[in-house]
Amino acid sequence: LVHLLIAAAGSGRRMGGDRNKLLLPIAGRPVIAWTLEAALAADRIQWIGLVGQEIDREDILGLVPTTAKPVQWIQGGSTRQESVQRGLAALPRDAEHVLIHDGARCLAEPSLFDRCADAVAQGEALIAATAVTDTIKRVDAAGIITATPDRSELWAAQTPQGFQVEQLRRGHVEAQDQGWSVTDDASLYERLGWPVKVLDAGPSNIKVTTPFDLVVAEAVLALRSPG
């Protein structure tokens, strides 16, 4: 079984709001409620750490149902990198493998968590991802196209991302010593030359970042509803 850290210390800047976007409603429930529901339903997840800010603690913990699966609150940091470090420090002593998931990816299904958990338990470092379908352009500061990367080699990084706990801790120590700033843990592994595989998550595992994403997420949830 695998431990899970959910990054829940976001803000509402790109959403245009004044509160944590994870508390905004989708289909009548907060964003984070859908994320939690899927994580709690995953068979291979045995413990969940919610990494967030104190201002949101009561609201988010109030969404956790009574369950036999342990859920622990962890005080987040000022950056995602610092929040993950704090999450790693708070893991139970017997934790060997960890998944890290963005709370804003509320459309992740239990089966995705289980697939990622199975892969990381077999010793692989991995990220959920989806193959890029658009043609991507690299541009300079003036907005002029400078290159067109080969689309067949491009994947959009998502979460969950899975790692061996002690190796990830070593990576974060190295990042701190070197003054590196990374946007996800896979980027940290890349800098260190450690291999990370991609696991195809499919097209619906979007991250809720803008008001349009709320509309898309609600439409996907409506399609999944048995009613």
Side-chain angles (χ1 to χ4, degrees), residues 141-156:
I144 303 300
I145 295 171
T146 60
T148 304
D150 182 355
R151 186 172 62 188
S152 68
E153 298 179 351
L154 300 178
W155 286 70

Side-chain angles (χ1 to χ4, degrees), residues 191-215:
R191 288 201 182 197
L192 293 166
W194 297 344
V196 181
K197 290 188 175 181
V198 295
L199 184 151
D200 193 344
S204 67
N205 187 33
I206 66 169
K207 184 177 182 180
V208 173
T209 304
T210 68
F212 179 72
D213 297 330
L214 290 171
V215 176

